Amino acid sequence: MRIVRLCIAACLVMAAGVVFAADQKQMSVTVKETPVRATASFLGKILGTLNYADRVTVLDQPASSKSWVKVRGPDGKLQGWVSLLALQDKTIVLTSGSENVAQGASTGEVALAGKGFNESVEKEYKSEGKVDYTWVDRMQQIVVSPDQLAAFINQGGLSTPEGGAQ
Amino acid sequence: MGGGVLGTAMNVASNPAVQQTVQAVQTASQEITPEQEYYIGRAVAANILATRKAYSEQAATDYINVLGRSLSLYSDRPETFGGYHFLIMDSDEINAFAAPGGLILVSRGLLRCADSEETVAAILAHEISHVVLKHGLKAISNARWTAAVEAGVNAGVQVAGSPGLQQLTGVFKDSINDITNTLVNSGYSRAQELEADQMALVIMRRAGYDPHAFYEMLFGMKGRLKPGGLDFAKTHPAPQVRMTAVEKTLSGPGQPAVSASSAENVRQARYKAALGAI
């Protein structure tokens, strides 16, 4: 009898674990790439990078930090803090077309999924040859490194950035 | 835009399936995806730079990028799809353009209205605020949303040169024209400009810059703007109007005093080194 009770208890614990795992919130990355940091700060050490539309599992969302969540990346290995402002609850569908428009409209999952202002549209727009993107591409190649940012903020006596509404 | 595209859009709007889609998209028109905002912003910036020369002096460009990127971290939108990037335009006009998604162009003439890191921060914080508040996207005519849905429905697989893709590109082009015309010719509404000013004060205060520098920057601009100019003189409320609104906030209740930073010398030195000869 005791063994049966132990088995039932073990099953309940396992089931609770499964339910807990299933209940873990999933979010999607809304920016081209976003760093995963060791601490909940824009100046925290970067552990890795997440890409657009990656689904992440939320591991922790402390009440003390309005703007940061601890997540696990899609590879199951990368774990750390990401700005909440680079995430959304809804799944992002990467392809566009009539099927996605209909799906997006009926489920409300993806805003403007089929509107399709994307790379294909830009290529078509460029092919008309009227607009030169040279300087736009150059300005997007200007990257400020995390170390540069930290030095600028610290040496200039600026506040530690919390990110988002404070 | 092709009036034909819009015309067709109106016809398909009677189709129940499309109607449902139109409704969903109209609801979502305020939440255009960050990816789409990115491609719209790139095209807007490219159009503006088609008639304006870039000022590529390295130290100045690096400085406004590190300052601007830092300021964005104190905004309500520290990250955008492609990130914030800043470029100086080689022009004496007093002008700046914030393309959707965070591509920000400022003229040498506008930077000359500043005389310190704090006052340059005021300029950049105002432009970042336009991005945060998505003022550019709000300049897209409502008619485009219906056309966009219809084009999306017809697009299917987006193959280069296909009619569906050409139709979408037509809507894209019209949306870009709406924004570019607003930025260059008509300007945002007075309410939007004053809203961006107020948000800039918040960003500056969060960062630890004295927000009174925003008033100083406007004072500098007031002395330099030429009436009848095709720059901020045309597209923005008069500096005095903005100064009055800013002053009201700065002297209002709940405004904590800002203590002088011990790092002020560092800021002034790096400002002088980068933009002293702008």
Side-chain angles (χ1 to χ4, degrees), chain B residues 124-144:
Chain B
L124 299 184
H126 174 90
E127 298 307 322
I128 289 167
S129 298
H130 280 309
V131 175
V132 172
L133 294 162
K134 300 189 178 178
H135 285 159
L137 296 180
K138 288 173 186 167
I140 298 175
S141 155
N142 283 335
R144 311 292 178 227

Side-chain angles (χ1 to χ4, degrees), chain A residues 15-164:
Chain A
V18 171
V19 170
F20 177 72
D23 278 354
Q24 281 187 307
K25 188 177 175 184
Q26 299 271 311
M27 297 186 88
S28 298
V29 176
T30 60
V31 296
K32 208 191 243 174
E33 54 180 42
T34 191
V36 178
R37 297 179 184 276
T39 53
S41 162
F42 281 108
L43 303 183
K45 185 185 171 193
I46 296 174
L47 304 173
T49 304
L50 293 168
N51 296 310
Y52 183 53
D54 277 353
R55 289 290 276 175
V56 297
T57 304
V58 176
L59 303 174
D60 191 12
Q61 195 169 351
S64 58
S65 175
K66 289 179 198 165
S67 311
W68 294 86
V69 283
K70 189 174 188 183
V71 302
R72 182 168 54 234
D75 66 354
K77 292 176 191 164
L78 181 61
Q79 278 191 26
W81 295 88
V82 173
S83 166
L84 198 51
L85 295 160
L87 300 171
Q88 70 174 28
D89 291 345
K90 297 170 186 173
T91 304
I92 295 171
V93 178
L94 284 176
T95 53
S96 62
S98 55
E99 196 180 323
N100 285 328
V101 172
Q103 192 185 356
S106 59
T107 63
E109 268 191 335
V110 185
L112 298 174
K115 190 160 174 284
F117 288 172
N118 54 22
E119 200 175 357
S120 304
V121 172
E122 183 176 288
K123 274 185 191 164
E124 188 79 8
Y125 181 60
K126 278 180 181 171
S127 73
E128 295 178 3
K130 291 178 185 163
V131 184
D132 182 359
Y133 275 69
T134 305
W135 272 104
V136 171
D137 290 336
R138 274 193 209 172
M139 78 187 280
Q140 287 197 304
Q141 281 162 13
I142 302 169
V143 176
V144 179
S145 74
D147 287 347
Q148 272 180 292
L149 266 184
F152 188 86
I153 288 168
N154 292 333
Q155 289 164 10
L158 302 181
S159 315
T160 301
E162 301 291 330

Side-chain angles (χ1 to χ4, degrees), chain A residues 32 34 112 115 140 156 159, chain B residues 25 38 42 74 79 168 267:
Chain A
K32 208 191 243 174
T34 191
L112 298 174
K115 190 160 174 284
Q140 287 197 304
S159 315
Chain B
V25 171
Y38 168 79
R42 278 173 55 80
Y74 304 95
E79 295 193 67
L168 258 181
R267 296 179 188 173

Side-chain angles (χ1 to χ4, degrees), chain B residues 3-258:
Chain B
V5 170
L6 186 56
T8 317
M10 294 308 177
N11 297 337
V12 296
S14 56
N15 175 327
V18 173
Q19 218 165 25
Q20 187 192 16
T21 308
V22 168
Q23 205 175 12
V25 171
Q26 280 172 341
T27 307
S29 66
Q30 300 307 314
E31 348 168 350
I32 188 164
T33 63
E35 185 191 16
Q36 290 176 103
E37 182 185 18
Y38 168 79
Y39 285 106
I40 289 171
R42 278 173 55 80
V44 168
N47 273 279
I48 290 170
L49 287 169
T51 53
R52 288 166 176 81
K53 205 175 145 196
Y55 177 74
S56 54
E57 203 275 316
Q58 198 63 48
T61 304
D62 288 349
Y63 179 73
I64 64 155
N65 272 280
V66 73
L67 173 55
R69 183 70 190 104
S70 299
L71 285 166
S72 73
L73 298 181
Y74 304 95
S75 78
D76 286 352
R77 205 176 168 208
E79 295 193 67
T80 63
F81 186 84
Y84 289 86
H85 302 274
F86 302 79
L87 189 71
I88 301 172
M89 298 179 290
D90 192 1
S91 162
D92 292 335
E93 65 176 5
I94 294 174
N95 227 339
F97 305 102
L103 297 179
I104 292 173
L105 313 169
V106 288
S107 70
R108 291 175 76 187
L110 176 57
L111 291 171
R112 288 184 199 127
C113 298
D115 61 359
S116 62
E117 179 164 305
E118 284 78 358
T119 42
V120 176
I123 291 169
L124 299 184
H126 174 90
E127 298 307 322
I128 289 167
S129 298
H130 280 309
V131 175
V132 172
L133 294 162
K134 300 189 178 178
H135 285 159
L137 296 180
K138 288 173 186 167
I140 298 175
S141 155
N142 283 335
R144 311 292 178 227
W145 300 114
T146 316
V149 171
E150 196 265 343
V153 168
N154 285 348
V157 178
Q158 294 186 357
V159 178
S162 70
L165 185 56
Q166 283 176 353
Q167 197 179 359
L168 258 181
T169 307
V171 180
F172 179 72
K173 207 189 309 181
D174 293 334
S175 303
I176 302 313
N177 289 343
D178 284 345
I179 300 173
T180 309
N181 283 334
T182 300
L183 289 177
V184 176
N185 298 319
S186 55
Y188 291 129
S189 71
R190 175 188 164 115
Q192 286 175 319
E193 290 298 347
L194 298 183
E195 188 184 19
D197 284 351
Q198 292 299 319
M199 184 171 274
L201 296 179
V202 172
I203 292 172
M204 291 180 72
R205 194 179 287 286
R206 284 178 185 167
Y209 288 119
D210 184 350
H212 289 86
F214 198 96
Y215 185 93
E216 287 170 32
M217 180 275 291
L218 290 171
F219 186 79
M221 186 189 294
K222 187 181 169 187
R224 287 174 175 269
L225 258 188
K226 291 179 188 144
L230 297 176
D231 48 12
F232 272 20
K234 182 184 172 192
T235 58
H236 280 61
Q240 187 57 56
V241 171
R242 299 172 65 187
M243 286 161 73
T244 303
V246 164
E247 196 175 19
K248 205 172 162 186
T249 302
L250 293 175
S251 60
Q255 294 296 316
V258 176

